[in-house]
Amino acid sequence: MKKLLFGALMLGFMSACNSDNISNQNEESANAAITSNATDLKRICPSEEMRQEALQKDPTLRQKVAEIEAQASRFANDVKFGKVLADGSVEIPVIVNVIYRTAAENVSDARIAEQIDVLNADYAGTNSDVSKIPTEFQGVKAGDVKVKFRLVNTIRKSTTKTEWRSTSTTTNKNMKRASTGGIDATNPTNYFNIWIVGTMPSPTGEILGYATFPESAGTWEDGVVLGSRFVGKTGASSPFNLGRTATHEVGHYLGLRHIWGDANCGDDLIADTPTQTTNNVGKPTYPLYNTCYGVKRSVMFMNYMDYSDDDTLYMFTAGQKTKMQSVVASSGARSGLRVL
């Protein structure tokens, strides 16, 4: 387990921790296998890269992040000493915006409902595979995050666009504006907007989804984008066919970083997630170990904020729950979601 490195966040804004001698034979062999079959579909989520680009350009956004992290720290401390309950139950109203060219991209109402059901199960800790959590991590599992999702409306729009391509420096956001062929967000302060689109190619492969973080609350781009092939379960593309792409991206929307901190032995600012060298992909088997800063640790590859396949993701931690609760609390960055 690790300490929060909030000071390091503010000074270096998530720079890589590359001063340590890092080793992990299991991860090395897995990565070698992936490299040899690079055409396989893999989880790609550019949320953190987009965030870093925005932070570099906008000092006021950096200040918002600092304030959100400080508020999260205060909230966690209040929970620890019983001043507040980590039970700020909230039902988030959801608007789904479907932009489609083909019948396959026009995701059905049934699949959208299925995806909302997955979110509610994963965030309540009632997912059918929760029993897979190893004994080692049972003590830090989140249980019920106390965040629910309620579908309010589905908006559909036909398009002639064959793809939503991103470049090496810019992630495509055109689906978020009517003026660029998309759908404008519905009151993003009070509603959680999801955009479902066709393929999202990038220089590193097909993007499964991406999200904005809480400092973007209420802006025109605020919400989550999902590739249509990775929505819900029925008809979704294996190995990302259990709706966990949305679970992962909503985690970002509610303030969670990738579990490896987007750096070698990085920090996700959550105390009860083990430090790990990098992301995990495919279907790792427990136990999996890596070494950071001279300490060998068991890897929590089954955490929703890692990159494992959908059927290998099935838990949040108590620390992640508290972080998300701080974001939707009455004093949090997404308090507007509570008013409806």
Side-chain angles (χ1 to χ4, degrees):
M1 303 304 170
K2 56 185 179 295
K3 297 179 181 178
L4 299 182
L5 297 181
F6 177 65
L9 171 70
M10 295 303 105
L11 291 173
F13 265 100
M14 307 149 188
S15 61
C17 301
N18 56 11
S19 60
D20 196 70
N21 182 22
I22 301 165
S23 64
N24 184 345
Q25 293 182 349
N26 286 348
E27 288 179 351
E28 287 171 359
S29 61
N31 289 338
I34 294 159
T35 301
S36 67
N37 194 7
T39 59
D40 285 353
L41 189 62
K42 58 184 178 180
R43 193 179 297 281
I44 296 178
C45 162
S47 302
E48 184 62 35
E49 289 85 351
M50 294 173 62
R51 183 189 210 188
Q52 290 306 306
E53 180 182 5
L55 291 174
Q56 290 171 8
K57 293 178 179 179
D58 188 349
T60 62
L61 209 58
R62 295 199 294 271
Q63 180 60 35
K64 284 184 180 180
V65 173
E67 293 169 355
I68 289 168
E69 293 299 340
Q71 193 274 335
S73 181
R74 290 191 298 269
F75 184 88
N77 191 64
D78 287 345
V79 169
K80 180 179 179 180
F81 290 101
K83 295 181 181 179
V84 298
L85 296 176
D87 185 21
S89 299
V90 58
E91 186 177 68
I92 295 176
V94 181
I95 304 292
V96 174
N97 306 289
V98 183
I99 307 167
Y100 65 94
R101 184 179 66 88
T102 67
E105 293 174 0
N106 191 15
V107 175
S108 69
D109 289 343
R111 266 180 73 184
I112 292 171
E114 190 176 53
Q115 179 63 77
I116 298 296
D117 288 344
V118 170
L119 286 173
N120 280 323
D122 288 351
Y123 279 79
T126 59
N127 46 300
S128 60
D129 46 5
V130 70
S131 60
K132 295 180 181 179
I133 297 176
T135 301
E136 175 186 8
F137 299 135
Q138 286 286 336
V140 297
K141 69 178 180 180
D144 189 353
V145 175
K146 301 293 185 180
V147 174
K148 298 180 180 180
F149 303 87
R150 172 173 53 90
L151 180 64
V152 173
N153 192 22
T154 300
I155 303 169
R156 298 178 183 275
K157 181 177 182 178
S158 177
T159 183
T160 58
K161 291 181 181 291
T162 59
E163 62 183 22
W164 304 81
R165 180 172 293 276
S166 295
T167 68
S168 59
T169 56
T170 305
T171 299
N172 196 319
K173 301 177 184 178
N174 289 341
M175 71 287 292
K176 298 182 178 184
R177 284 199 185 278
S179 60
T180 52
I183 298 174
D184 291 335
T186 299
N187 186 3
T189 297
N190 302 125
Y191 292 91
F192 168 36
N193 280 261
I194 298 176
W195 288 267
I196 299 175
V197 299
T199 57
M200 294 187 283
S202 79
T204 56
E206 183 177 355
I207 294 172
L208 274 64
Y210 68 86
T212 52
F213 284 83
E215 65 269 14
S216 297
T219 64
W220 66 270
E221 63 178 310
D222 194 25
V224 163
V225 179
L226 301 173
S228 58
R229 296 201 294 141
F230 315 111
V231 175
K233 299 180 180 180
T234 306
S237 296
S238 179
F240 306 110
N241 57 347
L242 295 180
R244 264 60 192 269
T245 296
T247 301
H248 176 101
E249 299 305 338
V250 172
H252 290 315
Y253 178 79
L254 296 179
L256 300 184
R257 295 185 63 201
H258 289 137
I259 191 172
W260 68 97
D262 290 279
N264 289 334
C265 294
D267 188 3
D268 63 353
L269 306 183
I270 304 294
D272 60 5
T273 56
T275 305
Q276 62 187 57
T277 56
T278 186
N279 63 77
N280 292 285
V281 297
K283 305 179 192 300
T285 57
Y286 177 84
L288 175 66
Y289 297 97
N290 63 198
T291 300
C292 286
Y293 309 108
V295 179
K296 183 178 180 180
R297 295 177 175 86
S298 181
V299 178
M300 194 183 283
F301 59 79
M302 69 290 300
N303 192 285
Y304 290 125
M305 301 315 294
D306 208 333
Y307 267 13
S308 306
D309 291 350
D310 274 17
D311 62 3
T312 313
L313 299 178
Y314 38 81
M315 72 173 289
F316 288 118
T317 68
Q320 289 174 318
K321 170 183 174 176
T322 300
K323 180 64 173 290
M324 291 188 280
Q325 283 287 310
S326 76
V327 170
V328 297
S330 58
S331 57
R334 296 201 180 282
S335 60
L337 298 173
R338 304 176 63 89
V339 302
L340 297 177

